Amino acid sequence: MRDLMAGLPATVAWRGDAEDGVLLLLDQTLLPHAIEVLELRDRDGVVDAIARLAVRGAPFFFYGSGYHRVLPAFPASPSAERRTAAIAAAIRAEAAVLAEARPTAVNLRWALERCVTATAAEPSLAALLTEARAIHREDEASCAAIGRHGAALVPVGGTVLTHCNTGRLATAGDGTALAVLFAAWRAGTRFRVLADETRPLLQGARLTALELQAAGIPVELLCDGAAAGLIARGEVQLVITGADRIAANGDCANKVGTYGLALAAAAHEVPFYVAAPRSTFDPSLADGRAIPSEDRAATEGTELAGHRLAPAGVPARNPAFDVTPAALVRGLVTDHGLLRPPFDAAIKQMFAAGR
Ligand code: MRU
């Protein structure tokens, strides 16, 4: 399965030592037609890469942010003690700036908090890199667990519809919703996939199509507006997406267009599932109304690949995410098992169970 994707450089890597390394990010905005690796040496470069989706997908932020190079913040310091204090303060300050780069995805904040906590005890760049690497390894295991817990949901001989990109490009492992599909395929279940193109930035057309094709899973692209009609015609047996933040009651924020899919699925009694690791849950928010929404540049809607489509002077709204109410979700496939409604109780139990 990994052979075709194996031709790509790692989505994220760190070259050099903790004090003097370079963050290498595969620029996902150029895929699948150009392969370029960004070499990032400072905080602003990482913020820019996250904000313009060169690195993306909620769980992916774990290590995309954790590996940022903060060394330039520390000029030679007169004492080791002052340097240590400066490092701790700078890691906190840098984390606060990075967290603002994508406000909806709670994983970014979660990863940054972990890095801040881990380095509070031992403020060093080596400790920061160690924590980021631990997060990377854990995410790989989380993806595998999500795949195991969800594989049986995939209908034998059926058609699965998915949205945005939730695979290997978005995580440290096989992904979230795509991990479920990869696991089912490996287990011998045969099915086909309809991948929403996912306007405006086309993560489905560019990235999900690439990942499924590489895995040998039959995939067809779908213009976003076509999904409801095909669901109504009985052509879809399962809809599964990822999430960027899930509230305590199970309301799920995900790439804009997800809510419409969930409505169409509910109207035609097609199961709608969301796959996400526990770090995507934000039990501090009672419901989805409190999830911060990311509004992006209007030009993402008025232009395509840098070419103006809309008449000059016509503005655009560009919310990047929407919230699907828990009532429309049949189940949440997590790294800690498959959660069923009522989600508030199931989510509480998942957190009570610890790590
Ligand atoms: O804006 P993006 O491309 O970062 O949005 C990604 C999504 O909406 C995914 O569905 C979600 O992050 C889950 S990623 C495993």
Side-chain angles (χ1 to χ4, degrees):
M1 166 184 304
R2 293 192 169 247
D3 288 353
L4 286 172
M5 291 291 288
L8 291 178
T11 45
V12 64
W14 182 266
R15 189 177 66 211
D17 59 25
E19 297 266 333
D20 193 20
V22 179
L23 176 65
L24 304 174
L25 291 182
L26 175 62
D27 187 344
Q28 297 190 28
T29 65
L30 304 176
L31 290 175
H33 299 296
I35 296 171
E36 275 182 30
V37 174
L38 302 169
E39 297 198 0
L40 303 177
R41 292 183 168 75
D42 57 29
R43 193 268 325 273
D44 290 347
V46 178
V47 168
D48 177 64
I50 294 173
R52 68 184 183 82
L53 275 57
V55 57
R56 47 153 297 283
F60 188 84
F61 294 139
F62 291 173
Y63 50 106
S65 53
Y67 279 12
H68 74 282
R69 184 178 193 259
V70 291
L71 189 63
F74 315 115
S77 204
S79 76
E81 199 179 294
R82 277 176 62 182
R83 185 168 189 278
T84 298
I87 290 175
I91 288 173
R92 278 197 309 277
E94 301 267 322
V97 176
L98 282 161
E100 290 311 311
R102 298 293 308 270
T104 302
V106 75
N107 308 67
L108 176 57
R109 283 174 167 65
W110 176 91
L112 291 165
E113 269 163 33
R114 262 188 69 162
C115 289
V116 167
T117 306
T119 51
E122 187 201 335
S124 72
L125 299 181
L128 179 62
L129 195 57
T130 300
E131 185 65 7
R133 287 191 165 133
I135 292 169
H136 187 163
R137 282 194 304 274
E138 287 170 31
D139 186 47
E140 209 173 335
S142 288
C143 293
I146 289 171
R148 278 197 307 277
H149 295 306
L153 299 171
V154 178
V156 178
T159 297
V160 181
L161 195 150
T162 191
H163 193 65
C164 200
N165 173 260
T166 62
R168 295 182 56 217
L169 292 165
T171 63
D174 270 351
T176 57
L178 285 197
V180 169
L181 304 189
F182 290 144
W185 191 263
R186 272 192 218 104
T189 304
R190 292 295 171 256
F191 55 93
R192 53 196 278 274
V193 180
L194 292 170
D196 270 355
E197 59 173 352
T198 318
R199 274 286 284 154
L201 296 180
L202 301 171
Q203 292 93 328
R206 297 183 300 104
L207 309 177
T208 298
L210 175 69
E211 291 201 41
L212 291 171
Q213 185 190 46
I217 298 177
V219 56
E220 288 173 293
L221 277 185
L222 204 57
C223 296
D224 295 336
L230 293 190
I231 290 172
R233 276 168 29 188
E235 292 199 25
V236 174
Q237 284 72 50
L238 169 72
V239 181
I240 186 163
T241 72
D244 284 73
R245 195 185 296 224
I246 302 175
N249 71 340
D251 289 353
C252 299
N254 192 49
K255 178 55 56 192
V256 69
T258 303
Y259 176 39
L261 289 178
L263 283 170
H268 300 283
E269 294 178 7
V270 172
F272 175 87
Y273 283 85
V274 172
R278 193 171 63 177
S279 54
T280 297
F281 289 74
D282 184 351
S284 75
L285 302 182
D287 59 46
R289 286 173 301 186
I291 297 177
S293 82
E294 177 183 336
D295 287 317
R296 296 184 58 84
T299 48
E300 289 181 355
T302 55
E303 297 177 359
L304 193 58
H307 297 288
R308 179 90 193 178
L309 297 174
V314 172
R317 295 282 306 275
N318 187 16
F321 298 96
D322 57 27
V323 176
T324 298
L328 299 179
V329 180
R330 193 73 67 91
L332 297 167
V333 188
T334 79
D335 44 351
H336 292 259
L338 176 57
L339 309 190
R340 296 283 186 189
F343 291 125
D344 46 0
I347 291 169
K348 257 196 202 120
Q349 204 181 341
M350 175 174 70
F351 279 94
R355 265 200 155 183

